[in-house]
């Protein structure tokens, strides 16, 4: 079984299927056989600038895959789905990294972090991908999505960036007042790894969390984490503005 990092970007348009949903579908297609698996999908926010075309948020979607499939098979299945599901006006990009390839990790992280605050070019992305042996390809439109796809790989490797796609359902929306669970219960029911406060400090398993409304997780310390903050003497799931830091 071999590990891969896969990231896509710029596959949607206003009113069409989102990039996160397409990434989820690709992950399910690629991990459909027994013993194969994929991780949570993380959403990585990139630079928003007039010179960068995007639909609504300019964010890339990335996940780990454990599979016996070859690179050629992964490319074939992922590309086929991108061509089928991407919006006609989109500029899809796909990046695939073999995690055991001895690549320059710091160079990818540097590219990802720069893409959060600078305008990068397709040539920048292709040059780096070729040097590091990353599979990088475009599948329609201008192909501008290759920049975000490669940046998303770097940001996932960084381990301190990204929000987990979707919401964490712990029954909190069934009750107007929310629910209270210990850290241990949260981790067992959600599949997350840790619960951390806004400073990155991990909470003990016996601490109680007050959960209300939409609960989102982040990628923090190379783990999937529930972010919490202290409010009126108790721990609460993070607010939207606090999650935006990721």
């Amino acid at each position: 079984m071999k590990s891969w990092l896969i990231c896509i970007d710029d596959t949607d348009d206003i009113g069409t299927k989102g990039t996160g949903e397409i990434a989820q579908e690709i992950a399910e297609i690629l991990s459909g056989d027994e013993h194969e698996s994929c991780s949570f999908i993380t959403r990585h926010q990139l630079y928003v600038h007039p010179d960068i075309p995007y639909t609504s948020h300019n964010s890339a979607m990335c996940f780990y895959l454990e599979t016996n499939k070859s690179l050629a098979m992964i490319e074939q299945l992922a590309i086929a789905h991108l061509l089928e599901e991407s919006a006609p006006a989109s500029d899809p990009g796909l990046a695939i990294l073999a995690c055991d390839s001895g690549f320059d990790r710091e160079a990818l992280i540097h590219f990802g972090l720069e893409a959060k605050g600078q305008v990068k070019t397709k040539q920048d992305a292709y040059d780096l991908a070729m040097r590091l042996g990353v599979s990088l390809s475009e599948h329609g439109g201008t192909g501008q999505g290759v920049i975000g796809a490669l940046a998303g790989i770097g940001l996932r490797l960084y381990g301190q960036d990204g929000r987990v796609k979707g919401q964490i359902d712990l029954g909190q929306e069934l009750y107007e007042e929310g629910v209270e669970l210990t850290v241990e219960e949260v981790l067992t029911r959600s599949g997350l790894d840790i619960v951390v406060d806004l400073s990155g400090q991990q909470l003990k398993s016996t601490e109680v969390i007050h959960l209300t409304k939409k609960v989102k997780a982040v990628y923090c310390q190379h783990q999937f984490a529930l972010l919490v903050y202290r409010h009126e003497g108790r721990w609460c799931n993070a607010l939207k503005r606090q999650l935006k830091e990721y």
Side-chain angles (χ1 to χ4, degrees):
M1 198 71 72
K2 192 167 175 175
S3 297
W4 304 84
L5 260 180
I6 298 173
C7 189
I8 64 172
D9 185 34
D10 208 341
T11 70
D12 60 3
D13 195 4
I14 301 297
T16 69
K17 185 182 289 185
T19 299
E21 188 175 352
I22 293 175
Q24 184 69 56
E25 292 169 349
I26 292 173
E28 290 170 1
I29 290 169
L30 294 176
S31 61
D33 293 343
E34 191 177 7
H35 305 308
E36 292 179 319
S37 64
C38 63
S39 69
F40 285 114
I41 294 168
T42 46
R43 172 193 180 279
H44 300 276
Q45 180 63 54
L46 303 171
Y47 192 31
V48 176
H49 186 275
D51 291 343
I52 302 175
Y54 64 93
T55 51
S56 55
H57 298 99
N58 194 27
S59 57
M61 296 286 177
C62 188
F63 60 92
Y64 270 104
L65 171 71
E66 295 274 342
T67 180
N68 284 321
K69 291 183 176 68
S70 66
L71 173 59
M73 180 59 71
I74 293 171
E75 289 175 330
Q76 178 185 330
L77 293 170
I79 291 170
H81 198 71
L82 279 177
L83 292 174
E84 185 175 336
E85 298 296 338
S86 295
S90 65
D91 310 305
L94 168 68
I96 305 173
L97 170 70
C99 297
D100 64 352
S101 60
F103 59 94
D104 184 342
R105 184 185 190 92
E106 293 307 315
L108 274 171
I109 291 173
H110 184 69
F111 184 86
L113 291 174
E114 281 194 333
K116 289 180 77 69
Q118 296 180 20
V119 177
K120 307 294 286 186
T121 67
K122 281 174 60 177
Q123 196 60 51
D124 293 335
Y126 277 123
D127 288 347
L128 181 62
M130 179 172 291
R131 182 161 68 83
L132 303 186
V134 179
S135 169
L136 186 65
S137 55
E138 58 187 76
H139 304 286
T142 66
Q144 197 80 5
V146 294
I147 301 168
L150 190 66
I153 294 270
L155 291 169
R156 183 66 177 256
L157 289 169
Y158 179 51
Q160 194 69 18
D161 185 272
R163 279 172 267 165
V164 175
K165 176 186 172 295
Q167 298 176 31
I168 307 299
D169 181 8
L170 293 165
Q172 73 278 359
E173 292 193 277
L174 296 176
Y175 307 95
E176 188 175 347
E177 69 277 18
V179 296
E180 290 195 338
L181 298 173
T182 64
V183 168
E184 184 175 7
E185 290 171 326
V186 168
L187 300 184
T188 299
R189 296 189 193 181
S190 67
L192 298 176
D193 302 311
I194 53 175
V195 176
V196 298
D197 67 14
L198 299 181
S199 70
Q201 187 71 34
Q202 291 190 31
L203 271 63
K204 296 177 181 176
S205 61
T206 53
E207 294 274 14
V208 175
I209 315 295
H210 181 63
L211 300 154
T212 56
K213 301 179 179 176
K214 294 180 179 178
V215 175
K216 300 278 290 182
V218 299
Y219 197 55
C220 170
Q221 303 173 23
H222 296 276
Q223 299 182 86
F224 298 106
L226 177 68
L227 188 66
V228 298
Y229 72 107
R230 200 72 174 165
H231 180 64
E232 296 183 348
R234 60 185 180 181
W235 292 110
C236 303
N237 53 292
L239 304 172
K240 189 174 182 180
R241 60 181 168 79
Q242 296 162 333
L243 293 165
K244 276 189 172 180
E245 295 298 316
Y246 290 85

